[in-house]
Amino acid sequence: VSAHEWVDIEVEARLAGVNAFIRKPFDKTRLLTAFRNFIPREVVKPAEGEVTLEQIGEADYSDKRILVVEDNDLNREIAMEILSMTGAMIETAENGKEAVDMVLASEEGYYDLILMDLQMPVMNGYEATTTIRAMEREDAGKVPIVAMTANAFLEDIQQSKACGMNEHMSKPLDVDQLQRMLARWLLKKRGN
């Protein structure tokens, strides 16, 4: 158990005999994921109503394009891996400025959803969202922008809404919450 990134301590931890890693702060998803690694696969059954990664893969968003804006390589890779299970086309940006430039360079309606980290270098998620919403193009005010952050306090949620974000999701990504969010924004857009 550590507040450090696993990649920073993995070699030393493995040499010491560590079998699993849980990053602080604790939450239900992190604990369950770590514990499930030690239970034979056939014994593990999802809780009633809990969405599994296999169920995420049943969704078909192959006609959708998602921009994942995340400065942490591991978080970006995990989000891409999970989202690609839906068939969606995934593009990434490592900071808010890069995301703004990508939106500016794209044709209108190119992105169906933007997942935006809040704390990033160069330009944070709040500034990037405000900049995107201020663009003089029709899709700038319509594309759903969802905050992805470890900051889940009421003031963080209020600040993300105030700058134009549509929703606020806490990290690490909860598969059930992610599936509901994707359905809410991508199916709604498909229906329009």
Side-chain angles (χ1 to χ4, degrees):
V1 175
S2 176
H4 296 284
E5 292 288 337
W6 176 238
V7 294
D8 297 336
I9 61 171
E10 181 177 12
V11 173
E12 185 178 358
R14 294 273 186 216
L15 289 173
V18 171
N19 298 97
F21 173 77
I22 302 173
R23 186 161 183 251
K24 292 179 185 176
F26 289 135
D27 68 26
K28 181 178 89 172
T29 304
R30 286 182 180 161
L31 287 172
L32 287 174
T33 301
F35 292 151
R36 284 183 176 161
N37 289 331
F38 297 101
I39 301 172
R41 193 158 180 81
E42 61 274 2
V43 175
V44 178
K45 292 185 173 75
E48 190 170 330
E50 184 180 327
V51 175
T52 64
L53 283 176
E54 289 80 18
Q55 289 169 304
I56 281 270
E58 293 171 7
D60 179 16
Y61 298 121
S62 55
D63 60 335
K64 302 297 180 189
R65 186 177 316 273
I66 301 172
L67 176 59
V68 176
V69 188
E70 169 66 65
D71 66 314
N72 181 286
D73 294 339
L74 182 61
N75 289 345
R76 191 171 54 252
E77 190 174 317
I78 290 169
M80 284 177 54
E81 191 68 33
I82 294 171
L83 292 169
S84 66
M85 294 173 74
T86 69
M89 295 165 277
I90 314 298
E91 294 185 12
T92 63
E94 295 183 17
N95 60 63
K97 173 78 169 88
E98 193 176 315
V100 167
D101 291 343
M102 290 172 73
V103 172
L104 270 173
S106 68
E107 60 190 44
E108 288 210 17
Y110 184 77
Y111 293 110
D112 297 288
L113 176 68
I114 299 173
L115 297 179
M116 182 78 72
D117 185 20
L118 297 181
Q119 304 302 320
M120 295 180 289
V122 184
M123 179 185 279
N124 68 38
Y126 301 115
E127 296 165 331
T129 300
T130 301
T131 304
I132 291 169
R133 293 298 190 217
M135 290 179 185
E136 293 186 21
R137 46 190 281 173
E138 191 175 327
D139 65 336
K142 293 181 179 177
V143 62
I145 302 177
V146 177
M148 288 190 315
T149 181
N151 303 339
F153 296 109
L154 182 59
E155 57 268 17
D156 299 309
I157 295 169
Q158 290 171 336
Q159 188 176 357
S160 63
K161 296 273 188 186
C163 74
M165 294 185 179
N166 300 89
E167 192 169 333
H168 193 279
M169 286 183 41
S170 59
K171 288 193 290 192
L173 292 177
D174 175 273
V175 177
D176 190 47
Q177 183 185 20
L178 179 66
Q179 185 193 44
R180 287 193 312 271
M181 181 276 297
L182 291 172
R184 186 166 31 257
W185 296 110
L186 297 181
L187 292 178
K188 176 192 284 187
K189 194 165 183 183
R190 184 178 286 162
N192 290 344

